[in-house]
Amino acid sequence: KLRGDWGAVTFRVEVADTKASRARGLMHREHLAAQSGMLFLYPAPQGVSFWMRNTYVPLDIIYLSSEGIVVSIQANAAPMNETPLPSEGPAKYVLEIAGGQSAAFGINPGMKWLWKRNM
């Protein structure tokens, strides 16, 4: 859930918490449902850079600090593009959602992110 002055939005995400699952990410997916995505978990805050190799849908890549603050956003990352898309500061979490949803929901750097893992 991302929360801002406008309210909150909830996303249902798959978790990528191993080196292999982070490397695979959303590659080879032909669609991504609205308000769904993938959450990448890293063991410690670090500079993170993503690319869109073998990724068929545009994505918004949201970099989050260990405190759950949006550090930066790479909006509408182009499918199949191998240009590095780095965070603008250390990130412990990265949320990938369908391209354009950050703007549609008003998600911006500085916003707070809340995460609840459902079992």
Side-chain angles (χ1 to χ4, degrees), residues 65-85:
S65 73
S66 58
E67 294 81 25
I69 304 299
V70 176
V71 173
S72 61
I73 300 171
Q74 293 283 353
N76 286 304
M80 306 300 284
N81 190 328
E82 295 188 15
T83 302
L85 302 168

Side-chain angles (χ1 to χ4, degrees), residues 2-3 8 11 13 21-22 26 29 35 51 59 67 74 85-86 96 109 118:
L2 287 161
R3 186 178 305 275
F11 293 90
V13 298
S21 63
R22 288 190 299 265
L26 291 172
R29 307 274 179 106
Q35 290 183 242
W51 61 2
L59 297 174
E67 294 81 25
Q74 293 283 353
L85 302 168
E96 289 185 334
N118 293 330

Side-chain angles (χ1 to χ4, degrees), residues 22-70:
R22 288 190 299 265
R24 185 176 53 254
L26 291 172
M27 287 183 181
H28 307 290
R29 307 274 179 106
E30 294 185 7
H31 69 280
L32 186 62
Q35 290 183 242
S36 68
M38 182 167 280
L39 179 66
F40 297 78
L41 309 178
Y42 291 91
Q46 56 192 286
V48 181
S49 187
F50 278 51
W51 61 2
M52 297 291 287
R53 174 184 282 177
N54 298 320
T55 305
Y56 304 137
V57 295
L59 297 174
D60 286 352
I61 304 168
I62 303 170
Y63 299 97
L64 301 142
S65 73
S66 58
E67 294 81 25
I69 304 299
V70 176

